[in-house]
């Protein structure tokens, strides 16, 4: 059961990463990249690495996505 969950998480991480690369909207690509990082954090929890998962969730998913969204807002790309 745990292996199936890990496979589903890895597949959704790959799907969101591919969406981040292929989408034409910059805002949607940033959100998909943050989602991919969040899936990676959950995978780290399943692999029994909670400290790495917390760092990935807070810095990789939270802070990086926030900084990208703030930069998009300041440059005017978020209005697309």
């Amino acid at each position: 059961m745990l292996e199936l969950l890990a496979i589903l998480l890895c597949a959704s991480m790959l799907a969101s990463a591919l969406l981040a690369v292929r989408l034409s909207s910059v805002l949607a690509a940033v959100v998909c990249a943050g989602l991919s990082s969040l899936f990676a954090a959950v995978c780290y929890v399943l692999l029994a690495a909670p400290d790495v998962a917390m760092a990935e969730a807070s810095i990789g998913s939270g802070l990086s996505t926030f900084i990208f969204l703030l930069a998009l807002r300041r440059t005017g790309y978020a209005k697309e």
Side-chain angles (χ1 to χ4, degrees):
M1 183 68 181
L2 190 62
E3 291 175 3
L4 179 64
L5 184 61
I7 290 171
L8 283 173
L9 279 170
C10 290
S12 38
M13 184 171 42
L14 283 172
S16 63
L18 286 174
L19 275 175
V21 172
R22 299 293 292 168
L23 286 174
S24 61
S25 171
V26 179
L27 183 63
V30 168
V31 170
C32 283
L35 189 64
S36 175
S37 182
L38 191 62
F39 285 140
V42 176
C43 282
Y44 289 138
V45 169
L46 288 178
L47 293 172
D51 50 343
V52 178
M54 286 176 43
E56 179 69 28
S58 62
I59 296 170
S61 182
L63 186 63
S64 296
T65 304
F66 176 73
I67 289 173
F68 278 125
L69 290 176
L70 185 66
L72 286 177
R73 182 175 170 213
R74 292 214 176 169
T75 57
Y77 278 104
K79 295 176 184 172
E80 292 179 6

